[in-house]
Amino acid sequence: MEKTVYIRLRHRIQVHPNDVITIDKIALVVGDKELTEKLNKIVIHKIQLSDKNMVVIDVMHVLREIHKYDRQIDVQAIGATQTIVEIMYQKKKLSPLLFCLVWLLLFIGAGLAIMNFHEDVSMQAVHQRIYKIVTGKENAQPLILQIPYSLGLGLGMVLFFNHLFKKRINEEPSPLEVEIFNYQLDLDQYVAMNENKENINGKNDDSK
């Protein structure tokens, strides 16, 4: 009797070196409870040193392993066709000296970028002009405008990035987070196309 199960691959998972990847780690399987419990234990891949940092598991690989277990199972694949497996190696501790150097470099670079932008658009001249229009007096250093502007610039950056140190201001993602998300999607698509052995002719073709 034909048995039907529905399978949906997860987009990305994280594992550790020497982990064994079973179906339940990379996919959600829906069907008969007893059958899905057995299918979830099927081994799809074992992490090896040759895998380096990432492995792409194609849905065809999963279907092949399920049919090795039982050819009468009708598998309906839904959603993504690849799962990206990211191998998490133990990270080295960050040197406090290196952290301070990187922080100082970014601080100086950001400061120079802001100052160069203000110089390009003649911000000081704009403040002087606004001060003269409002008060009718000349002032080479209109601090009454420059100080609030500087404070507002910092506050605007906090609101733009939606973070105050590690605390999120609200649940809305910041433009930077959206750009990082889009970059991650593009990166995942590239990895799926270039690391997936199922897409390489003459390799991993054991369907016969």
Side-chain angles (χ1 to χ4, degrees), residues 69-87:
Y69 171 78
D70 188 343
R71 286 190 173 273
Q72 291 185 335
I73 298 176
D74 177 28
V75 184
Q76 300 290 330
I78 302 172
T81 57
Q82 293 104 9
T83 294
I84 297 175
V85 180
E86 184 179 1
I87 304 171

Side-chain angles (χ1 to χ4, degrees), residues 155 158-164 167-172:
L155 180 61
V158 171
L159 295 176
F160 180 81
F161 290 108
N162 197 24
H163 277 82
L164 183 61
K167 187 177 181 181
R168 181 187 290 270
I169 298 175
N170 54 52
E171 294 300 319
E172 182 179 348

Side-chain angles (χ1 to χ4, degrees), residues 21-165:
I21 300 175
T22 53
I23 288 181
D24 63 329
K25 290 184 178 180
I26 64 170
L28 176 64
V29 183
V30 176
D32 179 74
K33 183 177 180 181
E34 184 178 351
L35 177 60
T36 56
E37 287 179 352
K38 293 178 180 178
L39 294 180
N40 282 332
K41 297 178 182 177
I42 294 178
V43 175
I44 299 298
H45 185 75
K46 187 179 185 303
I47 301 299
Q48 303 172 353
L49 290 176
S50 59
D51 292 326
K52 297 182 180 179
N53 296 322
M54 286 188 179
V55 178
V56 176
I57 297 179
D58 194 90
V59 68
M60 299 303 294
H61 188 189
V62 178
L63 296 181
R64 185 161 52 244
E65 294 300 323
I66 291 176
H67 286 155
K68 283 182 183 179
Y69 171 78
D70 188 343
R71 286 190 173 273
Q72 291 185 335
I73 298 176
D74 177 28
V75 184
Q76 300 290 330
I78 302 172
T81 57
Q82 293 104 9
T83 294
I84 297 175
V85 180
E86 184 179 1
I87 304 171
M88 306 298 293
Y89 293 97
Q90 187 174 6
K91 295 182 179 180
K92 297 180 180 179
K93 291 185 178 180
L94 183 63
S95 169
L97 178 61
L98 179 61
F99 173 81
C100 292
L101 289 175
V102 172
W103 181 88
L104 184 62
L105 179 64
L106 293 176
F107 180 81
I108 295 174
L112 288 174
I114 293 173
M115 288 188 291
N116 288 334
F117 167 76
H118 286 166
E119 185 66 24
D120 288 340
V121 298
S122 302
M123 186 62 68
Q124 185 175 5
V126 171
H127 285 167
Q128 292 170 352
R129 180 64 176 169
I130 294 174
Y131 185 86
K132 184 177 181 180
I133 292 174
V134 174
T135 65
K137 299 178 182 179
E138 296 280 353
N139 191 341
Q141 294 181 333
L143 297 181
I144 194 172
L145 294 177
Q146 293 176 341
I147 293 176
Y149 172 80
S150 299
L151 296 175
L153 183 64
L155 180 61
M157 295 296 289
V158 171
L159 295 176
F160 180 81
F161 290 108
N162 197 24
H163 277 82
L164 183 61
F165 298 104

